[in-house]
Amino acid sequence: VVDAMAQADALLRRSTAPADVREARARFEAALAADPRASHAWAGLALSLLSEVQGRWGDDPARQTARAAAAVEAALALDPESALAHYARGHLLMVQGDVEAALAAYRQVLARNPSDAWAHARVGAALLALGRFDEVEAPVARARQLSPLEGTQVAFGQVTAATADFHRGRDDAAYQRCREAALANPQNASAWAMMAAIDALHGRPEAAAKAMARLRQLRPQWTV
């Protein structure tokens, strides 16, 4: 059970494609088949489902969200103090559109584990979604300080901060952050999308076209 959960955790943390998320889910399901009382596996199962929904990789987001909600409930019932369960609850609330509650859930994670880099990054994402652009930089910087070599987390945070910069009219700063995000994780589609947009807005059509070509390679299912 522990082996299956550890392997699944690693797959989720580095996931850059649907196959990673689905393999992680299979391993969490294997752990639960062996031990249905493994709170960590229930929380991980929820995260794998919500990752597909947020990445627009799944074919039935409503069903996946409902299944994730049941998994979060099971995880918290088994271990109300589980940081991972509260983290999964934050994802669920973001998907459901209750951003204030999601922010509170991520902060509950940090109350239990102040060194959780991803939770700091997700606090930044929730603040961004609430339009509190001036507050985004601090949690993103803290996440990067805690885990500077984790490319997926660094890229996520840089894109989050870039979006806040963009909303504040700081296009050059946003663009530089997106370049850093793409270096940290070349599979981060959002970085390429924002670079394409900023290049287009600033009259750089050739650069915009290159960024769009990369974006279409990474996310052919994304719409305009």
Side-chain angles (χ1 to χ4, degrees):
V1 172
V2 172
D3 283 349
M5 291 191 298
Q7 291 162 0
D9 284 341
L11 283 162
L12 272 189
R13 288 185 79 92
R14 70 166 191 259
S15 64
T16 57
D20 296 329
V21 175
R22 290 164 189 158
E23 178 62 24
R25 181 160 68 248
R27 293 178 191 242
F28 283 127
E29 288 171 338
L32 289 168
D35 180 8
R37 296 189 58 78
S39 172
H40 187 105
W42 282 113
L45 175 62
L47 286 171
S48 70
L49 291 161
L50 295 167
S51 292
E52 279 203 300
V53 174
Q54 291 178 311
R56 288 170 249 173
W57 290 332
D59 54 6
D60 192 345
R63 181 184 64 80
Q64 288 176 298
T65 301
R67 190 181 173 201
V72 168
E73 184 178 349
L76 287 169
L78 289 163
D79 184 359
E81 293 303 310
S82 166
L84 189 69
H86 285 282
Y87 183 72
R89 182 170 175 268
H91 279 37
L92 176 64
L93 290 163
M94 287 291 285
V95 167
Q96 292 174 333
D98 192 345
V99 185
E100 289 279 8
L103 177 60
Y106 292 133
R107 285 179 167 160
Q108 286 187 45
V109 176
L110 294 173
R112 290 161 174 80
N113 179 13
S115 295
D116 190 318
W118 268 109
H120 284 283
R122 293 290 180 173
V123 165
L127 291 168
L128 173 67
L130 290 168
R132 293 161 60 176
F133 307 128
D134 292 341
E135 299 175 53
V136 171
E137 168 63 22
V140 166
R142 181 60 177 149
R144 187 169 187 173
Q145 181 185 38
L146 286 166
S147 188
L149 301 180
E150 190 174 6
T152 51
Q153 176 269 122
V154 170
F156 177 87
Q158 287 294 81
V159 169
T160 299
T163 308
D165 281 338
F166 183 75
H167 280 292
R168 295 160 69 197
R170 301 177 59 192
D171 291 13
D172 289 344
Y175 194 83
Q176 181 58 33
R177 285 186 186 274
C178 287
R179 291 186 65 181
E180 292 173 9
L183 286 171
N185 176 18
Q187 307 299 312
N188 188 301
S190 297
W192 296 101
M194 181 163 285
M195 283 192 285
I198 294 174
D199 279 327
L201 286 169
H202 289 267
R204 301 189 292 262
E206 290 184 4
K210 288 180 180 178
M212 279 302 301
R214 179 63 176 148
L215 174 60
R216 289 193 179 103
Q217 286 179 338
L218 295 169
R219 296 290 186 275
Q221 78 276 23
W222 280 13
T223 68
V224 67

